[in-house]
Amino acid sequence: MRLASLYSGGKDSTFSLYLAEQSGHDVPYLVNVVPEDAASWIFHTPNLSVVPLMAESMGKKLVTAPSSGTEEGDMDGLRRALEGLDVEGVVSGAIWSDYQWDRMNIVCGDLGLKLIAPLWRKDQDMLMDQFLDSGIRSIIVGCYAEGLGEEWLGRTIDARAVEELKAIRAKTGISIMGEGGEYESLTVDSPMHSAPLEIVSSEREWSRSGGTLRVTSARLAPRA
């Protein structure tokens, strides 16, 4: 099936794209909706400025659309981005959010597109194990839950980090995939990338409620 993939640069959108291609789908387009409001309920917002570099590294055509960040604005932005694309369906990295799932299904239904969600309703421990095995490398760029201090910003999501996330889950009940908004991620490399993303400079913003690692400069680095 010929598909477009909703892509924010985070681990879930990268992993769902990877799984879709591993299943034999052709995914020539990345679709990135850019909300004005960082509190968008439907779309990931941190560090969207590096998505064009990631599309270049993966050899994908990037389609972007602005959004106000409201529910209606996000859905209109997604609709505008998908209209006219030569695809049969859309790949989503949704895992457990019924809200996100319902809104995306509405837009896809209006456009006659099938929604493909490789991660939907899967056991999160199993998903994390598969993610680690995939060769995708992502870092944490936002922390918004108890137990995730500033030292987590910029940290690679590897086996050791996952064990610590599970320990935090045992105390506070967080999702180790960050599905409840506990953290945000940024992919820096994957089997689909011809060159990894190198963060040249960044800024940390931290308060009592959490914080964000904002990438201010990045480039594609030669692969060793």
Side-chain angles (χ1 to χ4, degrees), residues 150-215:
E150 188 174 358
E151 70 278 4
W152 281 86
L153 290 179
R155 185 169 176 180
T156 298
I157 303 173
D158 56 16
R160 182 175 178 180
V162 170
E163 286 305 309
E164 292 183 32
L165 287 171
K166 289 179 178 178
I168 295 171
R169 179 180 63 185
K171 296 178 180 178
T172 67
I174 66 166
S175 160
I176 62 169
M177 294 293 291
E179 178 67 0
E182 294 91 343
Y183 67 86
E184 297 280 7
S185 60
L186 175 68
T187 298
V188 294
D189 200 6
S190 82
M192 301 174 291
H193 284 61
S194 62
L197 183 75
E198 178 183 343
I199 298 174
V200 178
S201 61
S202 61
E203 297 176 350
R204 294 187 176 209
E205 301 172 357
W206 193 261
S207 67
R208 286 186 177 183
S209 60
T212 305
L213 180 71
R214 300 201 181 278
V215 176

Side-chain angles (χ1 to χ4, degrees), residues 6 28 30-31 35 40 46 49 57 66 97 100 102 135 164 170-171 181 189 195 210:
L6 302 181
L30 300 183
V31 173
S40 165
S49 62
S57 182
S97 172
Q100 186 183 52
D102 289 343
E164 292 183 32
K171 296 178 180 178
D189 200 6

